[in-house]
Amino acid sequence: MNKQPYAEPWRIKMVEPLKTLSKEQREIKIKEAEYNLFSLDAEDVYIDLITDSGTNAMSDRQWSALMLGDESYAGSRSYLRMKQTIQELLGFEYVMPTHQGRAAENVLFSAMLKAKDIVPGNAHFDTTKGHIEFRHATAVDCTVDEVNKMDSDHPFKGNVDIDKLKACIAEHGVEKIPFMVLTVTCNTGGGQPVSMNNIQAVSEICKQHDIPLIFDSARFSENAYFIKTREDGYQDKSIKEIVKEMFSYADGMTMSAKKDAIVNIGGFIGLRSEKIYRECCTFSIMFEGYITYGGMSGRDMEAVAAGLIESTEYDYLHARISQVKYLGDEISKLGIPIVKPAGGHAIYVDAKSFFPQIPQNQYPAQALGVALYIEAGVRGVEIGTVLADRDPETRQERTPKMELLRLAIPRRVYTNNHMDVVAWGLQQIWAKREQYRGLKIKFEAPIMRHFTATFEVL
Ligand SMILES: *Cc1c(COP(=O)(O)O)cnc(C)c1O
């Protein structure tokens, strides 16, 4: 009953002071930013939950590893250390550094994908989809329907619907499918995990049809934590054992090291096939750099190696994911609707039910993001109609099923006191929620408008 509370398995050795503005000052700043949270100076944000990507705090081991960086152009010791760590932890023989995750996609897809191809997956991440569509190929989403059910407590909402996958293969034929992408955890689906059972089932189908299975692995260790804590038969396995098993089903992987390698920049490709690796080499040299650094410095590769070891430790993951859950619980307790269950890296507030008076074409999630910045200096990000953008053909605005404010939590950066401020800010808005109005777009770019759009308050 009286269980010892958890606490972070680290203490703080260095701090970065934060500036706090008054509410009146923030009202001016956001007006100057024309109500786009991306346009704020980061300094004017108190608690920055815009992303968990590259915003991590490195450990003393990682900082000291930086000093060991070997900056040789070819075959550096740091590359060998990163490669060896990846071989041991994840089991891939061939390792190619890239400057970040989308660069890994660019290199690998250049080698494997051509126009008119079909790439099935579980809610492909937007850069993944971008790299598929840029090559005039099509991403087919085969995620289970639960991913769109806000209240469903399904423990593995990132799973692939096996029937959808089979139907996709039957419809398009294996010749059209150069590979499948499995995203762990499923970012677009809300940081929801994929079970080992599902990974096995997907792998079996891919093997039957000779379709290589590629993991989009940005949050692979968070996925392993969910397997350990939610799936039968894994309670007594270590995270490193689970990670090894997960990747044993993959033929290759792309990685954004800005997530679960707990660094600020970096990425890599892992492969079993020498043939595909050879093909990637050309594209690496063209786009990234020589094959043993691929856009990364030696010191950054050292930090990735150290970070991968740390991110696959249970105590680290338990503190990390418990903090995300803590924020979710605090917000839920106030009666504010969020996507359940809490994902691995972020909490998603349901802005449609928060502001029922604001129609989707007046951007309720953007309005909530602006309100939370003004109220508490917290910066989240809209995952709704602004992000969904316009249909490239009809130019009509797409209206997604859900209208969400994402609060992504950087790794090892904030304390639960910060999380209390976030929940408090939402509580203030909730108490006067019927007073809020929507927004109107003043300017938008032809593609990816969410980064640079400007708004006015209605
Ligand atoms: C972040 C991310 C990427 C892209 O990685 P970058 O390092 O941002 O280029 C790809 N897939 C997933 C699932 C991600 O979360």
Side-chain angles (χ1 to χ4, degrees):
M1 263 323 286
N2 195 8
K3 218 170 96 197
Q4 180 180 326
Y6 96 87
E8 287 70 15
W10 39 261
R11 55 185 174 180
I12 297 164
K13 190 171 331 213
M14 188 190 280
V15 297
E16 180 182 357
L18 297 172
K19 188 164 93 178
T20 50
L21 301 176
S22 68
K23 195 170 156 183
E24 291 68 34
Q25 287 170 314
R26 287 195 296 262
E27 271 167 352
I28 295 167
K29 294 286 183 191
I30 194 69
K31 192 166 177 215
E32 285 170 358
E34 297 184 283
Y35 304 99
N36 189 328
L37 295 150
F38 285 102
S39 304
L40 289 167
D41 288 345
E43 246 198 350
D44 296 331
V45 175
Y46 177 41
I47 301 170
D48 204 350
L49 307 186
I50 200 166
T51 181
D52 66 322
S53 177
T55 50
N56 308 303
M58 293 203 295
S59 67
D60 54 355
R61 320 266 148 107
Q62 287 176 291
W63 280 106
S64 58
L66 289 182
M67 298 303 291
L68 302 174
D70 171 2
E71 306 303 341
S72 302
Y73 189 89
S76 79
R77 196 176 53 233
S78 302
Y79 166 69
L80 296 176
R81 180 140 37 226
M82 183 172 96
K83 179 166 93 167
Q84 196 186 357
T85 307
I86 292 164
Q87 285 172 338
E88 283 170 14
L89 276 178
L90 314 180
F92 291 100
E93 162 108 26
Y94 299 99
V95 175
M96 180 172 282
T98 60
H99 79 273
Q100 59 184 86
R102 68 198 69 186
E105 291 165 353
N106 189 27
V107 169
L108 185 66
F109 295 2
S110 293
M112 295 186 80
L113 194 61
K114 60 180 191 317
K116 300 214 170 78
D117 279 348
I118 302 288
V119 182
N122 53 336
H124 310 66
F125 182 66
D126 46 19
T127 63
T128 317
K129 201 169 173 180
H131 274 294
I132 292 169
E133 291 176 351
F134 180 72
R135 290 170 173 80
H136 304 287
T138 307
V140 176
D141 182 13
C142 300
T143 322
V144 292
D145 290 336
E146 276 80 8
V147 77
N148 288 317
K149 294 179 192 148
M150 200 113 48
D151 282 328
S152 155
D153 251 325
H154 191 292
F156 292 102
K157 278 180 162 180
N159 277 359
V160 170
D161 183 323
I162 299 299
D163 291 333
K164 286 186 197 172
L165 176 59
K166 283 182 180 161
C168 172
I169 298 171
E171 186 187 337
H172 301 284
V174 285
E175 344 36 77
K176 281 248 174 288
I177 306 179
F179 58 91
M180 152 142 196
V181 180
L182 187 72
T183 309
V184 289
T185 59
C186 185
N187 185 357
T188 308
Q192 300 292 338
V194 181
S195 70
M196 192 72 89
N197 195 285
N198 193 248
I199 294 175
Q200 285 163 355
V202 168
S203 149
E204 221 163 88
I205 291 174
C206 287
K207 282 212 170 77
Q208 271 169 21
H209 295 93
D210 246 340
I211 298 171
L213 178 57
I214 306 294
F215 283 11
D216 180 354
S217 321
R219 298 180 183 80
F220 73 93
S221 36
E222 291 171 8
N223 199 89
Y225 175 85
F226 285 121
I227 289 176
K228 181 175 168 76
T229 53
R230 292 182 185 171
E231 191 163 351
D232 283 347
Y234 290 93
Q235 277 70 9
D236 297 328
K237 296 222 157 104
S238 72
I239 296 290
K240 287 187 170 64
E241 284 168 334
I242 294 171
V243 162
K244 216 23 176 319
E245 185 182 339
M246 278 168 56
F247 283 104
S248 74
Y249 298 107
D251 298 293
M253 65 176 293
T254 56
M255 176 74 186
S256 168
K258 302 173 73 174
K259 284 62 169 253
D260 274 354
I262 331 185
V263 295
N264 305 116
I265 193 75
F268 57 87
I269 298 167
L271 288 166
R272 292 188 206 292
S273 155
E274 185 181 350
K275 181 170 171 285
I276 301 173
Y277 171 75
R278 292 269 162 249
E279 283 161 14
C280 287
C281 285
T282 309
F283 296 105
S284 167
I285 292 166
M286 232 160 45
F287 299 141
E288 291 292 292
Y290 181 64
I291 53 174
T292 61
Y293 76 85
M296 290 180 79
S297 61
R299 53 182 167 270
D300 283 334
M301 290 191 277
E302 293 282 351
V304 166
L308 287 171
I309 293 167
E310 292 177 16
S311 92
T312 48
E313 280 161 12
Y314 174 80
D315 287 349
Y316 154 74
L317 284 165
H318 184 57
R320 153 92 178 136
I321 290 175
S322 298
Q323 182 172 52
V324 177
K325 184 173 181 304
Y326 175 82
L327 177 62
D329 288 346
E330 291 304 302
I331 297 173
S332 284
K333 271 191 226 160
L334 302 167
I336 297 173
I338 64 167
V339 176
K340 288 181 182 142
H345 68 291
I347 293 299
Y348 296 72
V349 183
D350 172 13
K352 243 194 211 173
S353 345
F354 200 112
F355 288 147
Q357 74 275 26
I358 304 180
Q360 258 184 295
N361 63 4
Q362 294 176 12
Y363 318 119
Q366 183 71 19
L368 183 58
V370 168
L372 185 58
Y373 173 70
I374 292 172
E375 208 62 47
V378 175
R379 174 159 72 170
V381 70
E382 193 252 22
I383 308 278
T385 305
V386 182
L387 177 72
D389 219 314
R390 292 176 187 279
D391 184 291
E393 249 115 70
T394 65
R395 300 306 297 158
Q396 291 297 306
E397 265 191 338
R398 293 187 272 222
T399 39
K401 285 203 192 84
M402 296 194 265
E403 200 64 44
L404 306 169
L405 178 68
R406 185 185 81 173
L407 304 167
I409 305 179
R411 294 165 186 75
R412 301 191 292 212
V413 171
Y414 293 114
T415 68
N416 283 3
N417 289 335
H418 291 107
M419 299 303 116
D420 289 342
V421 173
V422 177
W424 173 88
L426 285 169
Q427 185 183 23
Q428 304 314 299
I429 304 163
W430 183 244
K432 49 180 178 187
R433 58 189 180 277
E434 58 298 320
Q435 293 171 15
Y436 286 86
R437 301 272 159 277
L439 299 161
K440 182 172 163 247
I441 289 188
K442 274 195 338 198
F443 160 82
E444 62 180 279
I447 46 166
M448 302 217 238
R449 64 179 185 176
H450 60 289
F451 289 118
T452 52
T454 63
F455 301 86
E456 62 195 344
V457 179
L458 288 166

